[in-house]
Amino acid sequence: MASAVLSIATQCVSPNASSLSINETHKGKAKLGGSTLRFSKSSGRISMTVAVNVSRFEGIPMAPPDPILGVSEAFRADTNDVKLNLGVGAYRTEELQPYVLNVVKKVYVLSLMAENLMLERGDNKEYLPIEGLAAFNKATAELLLGADNPAIKEQRVATVQGLSGTGSLRLGAALIERYFPGSKVLISAPTWGNHKNIFNDARVPWSEYRYYDPRTVGLDFEGMIEDIKAAPEGTFVLLHGCAHNPTGIDPTPEQWEKIADVIQQKNHIPFFDVAYQGFASGSLDEDAASVRLFVARGMEVLVAQSYSKNLGLYAERIGAMNVISSSSESATRVKSQLKRLARPMYSNPPVHGARIVANVVGTPVLFDEWKAEMEMMAGRIKNVRQKLYDSISSKDKSGKDWSFILKQIGMFSYTGLNKNQSDNMTNKWHVYMTKDGRISLAGLSLAKCEYLADAIIDSYHNVS
Ligand code: PLA
């Protein structure tokens, strides 16, 4: 509370007024609303000080709601039963319920038992090392690159457990800021809403490369290549490993080769964001093919990983930052610096998610079960994608080509709806989505496809 905002000297107020309760020492105070009035009397004058409730934080303006996570808040506030949350990319069952993978439940029970055992043995909950759980770091690098990747064998991979995808990206950004001052990051237009925030907060300058072509609702491959070519040598190029967010449009394997060609020619440094490994195609190996291609060419690569979606560990905040270097010596040095950057940010990461991943990836029977569950989740999304397309194309008689829905991959569909049309989806149809026209198919059920098709057709044709 800020005080002494008002100081009034007066002879007009009676010092004997009971409500003011001035005592023999000629001092007193009274409450007025949320403010405190203090009085003192000397040589017949009364001075009054008003302490007003003015916060020191008065100058801090209200932040806007987050464009993605804020959608869930608005969804929760809507009381209409037909409402549908297609904002955040979180997997739901056909009944639109959150899903905990069976394999996670099993490991959870096992790990609770193991933890009990540990505690009984007198162990405790000490900190993990700054770089995280060793078994996790090994498992995550192997999952990304393949266990027999020469980069792993030659100890050229620096892996540090991160606070899921976001925290890992932030750590990578901090490394760029510290050791490549002035270097720019090239980001796809459009990209996941938080990428720019991450690099802004890390004070890493960025600019965009063309990616999405609204005319074809596909990849602007020529534009992408031109922009990557035009960037100054040594630029970091942020690439989505698979299932590009928000467009759902990935380069073909041949296009990936050409992207790698230009990046290599220009001595750029690829920085992969792998947030959906296994979720795009249903296969962990297929979804890591882009990263593996660059590594196989001997390029030095940064990769942020997340287990939010593929293992459904959203709230556990488990992921990793990997730097694949050309020598084991530099990998060792890079790792030491990643640890140094992590220490003042969060000291060391949480253990629970790391144990789950390490157990699932490191236990063959659980690993197989995970792969089957991931296929099931990816399969359900493919089914709703197909049904949505079938519903829209049979209902819409305008002749518009909606086949882009089927060409997109992963959790999202980028509908091409503009902000007004997206607002109509929410205000009229109670369909919650991000304002860039992205819908999360992971939040859609087969039963709701027809309804969603009606909403999209109405918004597309009747709102400009
Ligand atoms: N990278 C990409 C491309 C993402 O889409 C997301 C999550 C992340 C990183 C970070 O995820 P993590 O920190 O949980 O590992 N994107 C979500 C959620 C699913 C979000 O915005 O935080 C999305 O709805 O876009």
Side-chain angles (χ1 to χ4, degrees), residues 68 88-89 164-166 192 245 273 275-276 306 308-309 317 438:
I68 298 176
V88 68
S164 210
T166 308
W192 173 48
N245 180 3
D273 180 359
Y276 298 93
S306 162
S308 290
K309 272 71 71 171
R317 311 311 296 145
R438 183 190 89 168

Side-chain angles (χ1 to χ4, degrees), residues 53 55 82 109 111 121 134 137 247 280 327 337 366 389 420 427:
N53 281 333
S55 165
V82 299
V109 173
S111 68
R121 280 207 315 265
N137 286 346
T247 65
S327 76
Q337 292 296 345
L366 295 174
Y389 168 74
N420 285 345
N427 299 339

Side-chain angles (χ1 to χ4, degrees), residues 40 45 60 63 74 111 188 203 217 238 281 347 392 402:
S40 58
R45 288 170 64 91
I60 298 181
S111 68
S188 67
R203 298 180 196 287
V217 198
L238 189 71
S281 66
S347 193
I392 295 192
W402 294 96

Side-chain angles (χ1 to χ4, degrees), residues 87-250:
V88 68
Y91 183 82
R92 298 278 183 274
T93 62
E94 181 58 26
E95 293 72 39
L96 300 184
Q97 294 306 309
Y99 180 63
V100 181
L101 277 78
N102 290 321
V103 72
V104 170
K105 282 187 197 152
K106 275 186 195 165
V107 173
Y108 189 67
V109 173
L110 287 173
S111 68
L112 281 181
M113 283 160 53
E115 224 169 279
N116 255 343
L117 276 179
M118 269 170 43
L119 294 174
E120 275 165 22
R121 280 207 315 265
D123 286 352
N124 51 44
K125 284 188 173 279
E126 293 239 335
Y127 300 124
L128 279 183
I130 302 171
E131 72 261 39
L133 189 72
F136 166 80
N137 286 346
K138 180 175 183 298
T140 198
E142 290 183 357
L143 193 81
L144 178 69
L145 301 174
D148 52 2
N149 196 300
I152 295 180
K153 291 202 174 121
E154 293 156 15
Q155 299 184 316
R156 292 190 284 109
V157 187
T159 304
V160 169
Q161 184 184 329
L163 303 184
S164 210
T166 308
S168 305
L169 285 161
R170 183 65 179 75
L171 200 54
L175 187 78
I176 295 174
E177 193 270 336
R178 182 154 305 173
Y179 292 102
F180 300 85
S183 282
K184 224 188 206 178
V185 174
L186 218 50
I187 297 175
S188 67
T191 193
W192 173 48
N194 214 15
H195 277 149
K196 293 173 184 173
N197 299 334
I198 290 169
F199 291 105
N200 281 342
D201 278 10
R203 298 180 196 287
V204 175
W206 53 266
S207 61
E208 294 183 318
Y209 61 84
R210 279 168 282 171
Y211 193 84
Y212 172 72
D213 183 349
R215 284 167 304 146
T216 58
V217 198
L219 180 64
D220 180 357
F221 184 63
E222 302 303 317
M224 177 181 187
I225 293 291
E226 263 178 39
D227 291 345
I228 294 176
K229 249 188 205 160
E233 286 223 355
T235 296
F236 288 83
V237 184
L238 189 71
L239 299 159
H240 298 223
C242 64
H244 183 272
N245 180 3
T247 65
I249 303 159
D250 282 351

